[in-house]
Amino acid sequence: MFNRNHRMKVLFATLIIVTAMAGCAKEPYRDSPVEESVATKDAPHTLDVFPIAFAPGSDETERTFSWHTRGMNKKGVVELSQLDEEGNVLSSETFESNVEAILRGFSRHKATITGLEEKQLYSYRFDDGHRAWSESYTFRTQATEDGDFNFLFFGDPQIGAGDGARIDADGWDRTVTTAMEMFPDTAFLVSAGDQVNTAYNLKQYDGWFFPEELTTYPIMSIVGNHDAASFADYFNVPNETGLGGDSEGSDFYFSYGNTLILALNSQSSDVEEHRKAMERAIAANPDATHRIVLLHKSLYSSADHALEEDVLALRTGLVPVFDELDIDAVLMGHDHVYVRTYQMKGDVVVGEITYNEDGAVVDPDGAVYLTGNSASNSKYYEMRELSVYERYSAVALQLEEPTYMNVEVTDDSLTFTTYKVSDLSVVDAYSIVKTVGEE
């Protein structure tokens, strides 16, 4: 099992926060979060919450939470505190949660915190309304004023699809840790769906939530086919449209700085509803410079799922809509392989491309489609014959080792760089530069 020194909740060398956990070895992955999760007898005023889904909100000034506690319909509150660089509390406010009863004696809570300022240090903790508080967690907001930021994209972790939840969780933990050490100032993370292999398997979900960084960096998860049935039990997404989905959730969107991110539920084949959801998001964010779609099922892949009927139907329906709505890039998972297409428009490779001196494409037509490989090392699919994907793939690789992607955003560019976890070598890099509208 992968073990490492316990990392402080805030990964900033200049910050010193006194905490009882400092200097301790990281607790290894546990098989059962349920049996060991609640402190009641020894610490009657300590509230244990599990798991904590900390995610981006509607824009950079918000974050969302979802968490579980023992007991049905217990009140839930998030306390948000702004801190100085020494960890002293400057101000605090509370946000109440919605409480939704779920099975097995647990309550599910969802809340949104608002009013966040850029480049600030915050802490948060949870309360049950009866003076029982959870431990505190910290996070830092990033600068947004200059339009530059980055986020990290992880292909399907699918905990439980490999040699067991314990091993897969350690692989996922290693990937997240490696990525955050390389990009400690990242704005947020994205998980491409299929967080777990079996929708209602608590051990697998405990494995997905195992990385400590997931309480410090917000991570946006999108629904996959393996976790669809339980997705809403664990995650709280912003701006849910009620379109393009059903009980497992619908299409949603959020913005960050100059970028609009549209997350589509690929379990739904209703292209018209997906269109309406995207049009609603664009209308609400008319000044966004960049538009990126998140989609679990890969429309252009090279492995097992590449020729499946539902995938081809989504490709036929969605690609023209993406073109019409000026989508820049589509980030996908599902096929556990790395693929980057050429610039595609109307399901055809764009014939004329202009490159600048740095090798970036300039003002291209259409969109680029990128499929992320496994982020946990749990499962890989074999490549299909070349004739299946050579028409559209600029890069198609089955490395059989975990990778992750850094997405670098500026006012006039998008850069997608994929790294191996093992040695941090670059697998592929692709940049889009926009000059239209420049003076």
Side-chain angles (χ1 to χ4, degrees):
M1 183 186 303
F2 178 70
N3 288 303
R4 64 177 183 273
N5 290 334
H6 179 76
R7 298 179 307 282
M8 295 289 289
K9 297 297 180 181
V10 183
L11 305 178
F12 309 102
T14 59
L15 173 64
I16 301 175
I17 298 179
V18 178
T19 172
M21 299 181 68
C24 298
K26 179 175 180 178
E27 183 181 357
Y29 171 76
R30 299 174 306 193
D31 278 337
S32 175
V34 176
E35 297 302 323
E36 304 178 34
S37 58
V38 179
T40 54
K41 294 181 180 179
D42 296 333
H45 298 296
T46 299
L47 176 69
D48 198 37
V49 296
F50 56 93
I52 299 169
F54 174 48
S58 295
D59 59 29
E60 61 271 16
T61 69
E62 298 183 0
R63 300 290 186 271
T64 71
F65 292 95
S66 177
W67 71 96
H68 296 178
T69 60
R70 281 196 184 276
M72 303 296 282
N73 298 318
K74 294 183 69 175
K75 179 182 177 182
V77 171
V78 182
E79 181 189 70
L80 176 72
S81 298
Q82 187 172 351
L83 310 178
D84 64 19
E85 291 301 313
E86 285 70 47
N88 300 308
V89 175
L90 300 177
S91 63
S92 296
E93 60 181 315
T94 58
F95 299 84
E96 289 194 3
S97 72
N98 295 323
V99 184
E100 306 170 23
I102 59 176
L103 299 176
R104 302 180 184 177
F106 302 106
S107 300
R108 179 180 67 220
H109 307 263
K110 293 186 178 183
T112 299
I113 57 175
T114 61
L116 299 175
E117 301 174 6
E118 66 176 353
K119 298 185 291 186
Q120 296 297 316
L121 181 64
Y122 292 94
S123 69
Y124 64 90
R125 61 177 181 164
F126 306 94
D127 173 45
D128 67 352
H130 301 284
R131 295 182 298 175
W133 290 97
S134 73
E135 67 174 291
S136 294
Y137 305 87
T138 53
F139 69 96
R140 186 185 293 275
T141 55
Q142 301 302 321
T144 56
E145 57 189 7
D146 61 0
D148 296 356
F149 69 94
N150 79 289
F151 69 90
L152 299 175
F153 178 78
F154 300 94
D156 307 21
Q158 202 167 339
I159 306 301
D163 295 326
R166 182 186 296 266
I167 294 173
D168 296 346
D170 283 338
W172 169 233
D173 185 54
R174 184 180 300 111
T175 296
V176 173
T177 299
T178 300
M180 301 324 302
E181 288 175 348
M182 190 169 187
F183 297 100
D185 296 326
T186 195
F188 59 90
L189 322 177
V190 174
S191 182
D194 283 358
Q195 280 67 235
V196 298
N197 189 55
T198 306
Y200 290 105
N201 190 302
L202 298 178
K203 294 180 181 179
Q204 292 176 14
Y205 269 111
D206 192 45
W208 187 85
F209 284 103
F210 180 51
E212 293 175 356
E213 291 85 355
L214 301 191
T215 60
T216 299
Y217 294 90
I219 181 166
M220 183 59 74
S221 300
I222 62 174
V223 65
N225 54 298
H226 280 268
D227 56 8
S230 60
F231 184 83
D233 288 342
Y234 289 91
F235 301 105
N236 181 13
V237 301
N239 296 322
E240 196 160 13
T241 64
L243 299 164
D246 46 37
S247 60
E248 68 266 14
S250 62
D251 299 343
F252 64 93
Y253 63 92
F254 64 103
S255 66
Y256 194 95
N258 55 19
T259 303
L260 173 62
I261 298 178
L262 309 103
L264 305 185
N265 181 355
S266 62
Q267 292 297 97
S268 169
S269 60
D270 193 328
V271 172
E272 188 56 31
E273 286 209 351
H274 290 316
R275 173 199 288 274
K276 290 178 180 178
M278 289 187 285
E279 288 175 341
R280 182 183 300 179
I282 291 168
N285 297 270
D287 298 326
T289 304
H290 310 296
R291 297 171 183 171
I292 297 174
V293 166
L294 307 177
L295 190 69
H296 174 64
K297 292 181 179 177
S298 175
L299 306 186
Y300 291 104
S301 189
S302 62
D304 274 19
H305 297 304
L307 296 179
E308 291 182 350
E309 183 177 348
D310 61 335
V311 168
L312 296 179
L314 284 171
R315 181 197 298 176
T316 299
L318 287 175
V319 168
V321 180
F322 293 158
D323 294 339
E324 180 183 336
L325 298 180
D326 294 325
I327 301 302
D328 296 301
V330 184
L331 308 184
M332 308 167 293
H334 192 46
D335 223 6
H336 299 238
V337 68
Y338 179 75
V339 176
R340 172 174 59 82
T341 68
Y342 300 103
Q343 286 290 136
M344 303 294 294
K345 186 172 184 178
D347 194 33
V348 176
V349 175
V350 175
E352 296 185 8
I353 296 289
T354 301
Y355 297 89
N356 67 13
E357 63 275 13
D358 297 319
V361 299
V362 180
D363 297 326
D365 288 333
V368 63
Y369 296 77
L370 301 107
T371 302
N373 207 339
S374 169
S376 68
N377 203 38
S378 68
K379 181 180 182 180
Y380 302 101
Y381 289 118
E382 291 184 7
M383 300 275 278
R384 286 185 176 270
E385 56 272 18
L386 182 62
S387 60
V388 171
Y389 56 88
E390 64 179 343
R391 173 180 71 86
Y392 51 73
S393 63
V395 180
L397 299 169
Q398 181 48 277
L399 300 172
E400 296 192 352
E401 61 176 292
T403 59
Y404 68 92
M405 181 189 302
N406 179 54
V407 182
E408 199 77 31
V409 181
T410 73
D411 275 338
D412 62 359
S413 69
L414 295 168
T415 299
F416 308 89
T417 307
T418 296
Y419 297 88
K420 290 183 180 180
V421 174
S422 60
D423 60 8
L424 301 181
S425 61
V426 174
V427 174
D428 182 43
Y430 185 75
S431 294
I432 297 171
V433 172
K434 299 180 179 181
T435 64
V436 176
E438 291 186 357
E439 296 182 358

